[in-house]
Amino acid sequence: MARDRGQPPKTDKATVVLNIRDENDNVPTIDIRKIGRIPLRDGVASVAEDVLVDTPVALVQVSDRDQGENGVVTCTVVGDVPFQLKPASEGEGEPQNKRKYFLHTSAPLDYEAVRDYHVVIVAVDSGSPSLSSNNSLLVRVGDTNDNPPVFGQAVLEVSFPENNVPGERVATVVATDADSGKNAEIAYSLEPSPLSAEALGGLFSIDPDSGDVLVQAVLDREQRDTYEFQVTARDKGVPVLQGSTTVVVRVADRNDNEPRFMQDVFTFYVKENLQPNSPVGMVTVMDADKGRNAELSLSIQAGEQDGAAGIFSIENDTGTIYSTMSFDREQQTSYTFRVKAVDGGEPPHSSTATVSLFVMDENDNAPTVTFPSNSSYTVLPPSSNLRTVVATVVATDTDAGLNADLNYSIVGGNPFRLFEIDPASGVVSLVGKLEPKHYGLHRLVVQVNDSGQPPQATTALLHVFVNESLSNATVVESQVARSLHTPLAQDIAGDPSYELSKQRLSIVIGVVAGIMTVILLILVVVMARYCRSKGKHGYEAGKKDHEDFFTPQQHDKAKKPKKDKKGKKGKQPLYSSIVTVEASKPNGQRYDSVNEKLSDSPSMGRYRSVNGGPGSPDLARHYKSSSPLPTVQLHPQSPTAGKKHQAVQELPPANTFVGAGDNISIGSDHCSEYSCQASGKYSKQSLSTDTFY
């Protein structure tokens, strides 16, 4: 208030407001409190190791007496610990200088890994300069029974000698538990192995506290060499956890057994003439022990015959007996000696066995065929029924026993499977139907085998001639004689040319039919044109016609042929021209007439036409080129009209039609269609007369 000194004095008032600015002169404070069921005392929190992740451990309250920015506090957990802070609330009404946080677990806890955690919480305000403070909490992890007992080996193998004293310790098993207290206390017990079906039957026992395994009976390796069982370790925690291991007890051997032969007497049979140093037998000896106790040494002991030890030797590893000499059954039929076996144990054990050796006869004789002989034969009619007995092969063998037991078989000459032989009796029977191709000689190769080892065999020939009758025995005998010099690999069965002759016959028939067809067509064409070129008059006897039948004549165009009143051509004689064909003989000469002597001429036949009409074809040119017709001569004998004309044909001596202009020859027993049908074959100088109209 202000007042002057005037009279009256006057006064005036004014209000002054003073604001005090805060200085960041207070550090944040951290207060850690208990929360939930987690005990917290004297800065130590006890947490069980089996708590879940994100479980609250403690409540952290942070405050700052400063205001504004100086009171805004940030709080964090320092260090690598499985804990973190989370705000207790997100409310907007909460002052900035007072905050609450929950301390949560951020990872699983493991008592066996880390038992104590030192958790440091730091609070920093936002003043300038900023102030900070810290507080710590010791988190002690509590143990739970979460670890089972563990053995050092999943399978424990132990070697224990046989013939032991009952109650001896076999082995000691030890298991460990990572837990503590009661959770780590272990008790041992025995159980049958799940891989072994045999029960222990009280043979083994175990101390529940120390894990010592004891044997309660005498073990015998020869009866059983391995025992397997399971040891289980259980802790005393809650819940109870357990672990197991497998114990394998292998019984060690002691030399308590002597060698034992499989037989007291070994009997062997050997053949005579056996080569020296050949095996004659094998003895089998066993030792129930193992290792060195089962290593055996074999030797030959002198028997009833002196010198047996020098005649025979034995192989130690296999027990094979060898002879040092060749046996002769006629001198000695049997040998008897002893074999001794000694093991390598301490002390050594031994045993002996008797060996009897008998010398057997050797199969050194082949069978002999007594019937039939190789040069004989049997006639078989084609009408024979199936299972007809053809012949019986008889053979003998001078050996005895199995060496004289004979078997018969057909090994060749039966490609059509027509015959079979009885293996025991040697009877040959017909088993296939006979056909025309089977006619002829069949050579069966019969093999006779004995049953010896090695078997001996003999081969014999059985000739069978298939035919209705034996008309010419000499021919058959010659065929049999040839078969004796024919290799056995080559089959002699029936007519070998049957199929080939059928094929050739088919080819010949086809060729002859084709030739006859061509000849017939040519004759028909020639006769038709010849008859058409002549008039209705027949042949005039004695009239000479100079017109060429084959060569067309030159006509005067100005001169026209005369016609009758009806406009038809004039009549011409039926036989106005005679064709004379001159052909070559087989040796290149020609025929001028039937009885004319041979004269030199070219191999090609000459064809001459006489008085042919203007329309006559040039058949000479045709015959020279490709005509397959046989050589024919037509001679004018001036027959009367309507009578026969004769053509004389001379054939080659080889029953072969020869075309004069072509080198074609066809073997046949038949004439062409315009010639005669001959049942017999032609002689060399035969003449045939062909008659045609």
Side-chain angles (χ1 to χ4, degrees), residues 110-127:
D110 188 357
Y111 171 82
E112 289 74 29
V114 180
R115 298 187 178 185
D116 296 324
Y117 292 97
H118 188 69
V119 182
V120 177
I121 301 173
V122 177
V124 180
D125 61 20
S126 301

Side-chain angles (χ1 to χ4, degrees), residues 147-227:
N147 292 282
V150 178
F151 288 93
Q153 295 177 330
V155 178
L156 176 63
E157 293 190 5
V158 179
S159 178
F160 188 74
E162 63 178 339
N163 303 326
N164 59 289
V165 177
E168 286 189 35
R169 185 180 66 87
V170 177
T172 299
V173 293
V174 178
T176 58
D177 196 318
D179 295 326
S180 62
K182 287 288 184 181
N183 298 333
E185 294 181 5
I186 299 174
Y188 300 95
S189 62
L190 291 183
E191 296 180 3
S193 174
L195 302 178
S196 178
E198 300 181 7
L200 297 177
L203 189 61
F204 296 93
S205 63
I206 190 170
D207 187 296
D209 296 328
S210 64
D212 292 337
V213 179
L214 308 177
V215 61
Q216 304 299 328
V218 178
L219 302 182
D220 187 359
R221 192 199 66 82
E222 288 72 36
Q223 293 183 359
R224 185 174 177 181
D225 61 351
T226 304
Y227 295 89

Side-chain angles (χ1 to χ4, degrees), residues 512-553:
V512 171
I515 292 175
M516 294 300 105
T517 303
V518 172
I519 293 175
L520 182 60
L521 290 176
I522 292 175
L523 291 177
V524 171
V525 171
V526 171
M527 295 304 296
R529 299 193 64 173
Y530 172 74
C531 295
R532 196 163 47 241
S533 63
K534 302 299 179 179
K536 295 183 179 180
H537 299 286
Y539 174 77
E540 297 181 9
K543 183 179 179 181
K544 187 175 181 181
D545 194 348
H546 298 284
E547 295 180 354
D548 190 352
F549 179 75
F550 293 93
T551 306
Q553 298 179 357

Side-chain angles (χ1 to χ4, degrees), residues 148-151 175-176 186-189 231-235 241-245:
V150 178
F151 288 93
T176 58
I186 299 174
Y188 300 95
S189 62
V231 177
T232 301
R234 295 180 175 86
D235 61 22
L241 300 179
Q242 67 181 25
S244 62
T245 185

Side-chain angles (χ1 to χ4, degrees), residues 335-371:
Y335 298 86
T336 303
F337 53 90
R338 298 182 69 82
V339 177
K340 184 178 181 180
V342 181
D343 65 20
E346 290 294 338
H349 297 280
S350 64
S351 62
T352 59
T354 301
V355 177
S356 297
L357 187 69
F358 295 92
V359 181
M360 300 292 295
D361 182 37
E362 186 180 14
N363 185 29
D364 52 357
N365 293 284
T368 302
V369 178
T370 59
F371 181 83

Side-chain angles (χ1 to χ4, degrees), residues 570-592:
K571 294 183 179 181
Q572 298 180 3
L574 181 59
Y575 300 101
S576 60
S577 298
I578 300 298
V579 179
T580 300
V581 181
E582 296 179 0
S584 299
K585 285 188 176 183
N587 57 2
Q589 295 175 332
R590 63 185 181 182
Y591 294 98
D592 292 334

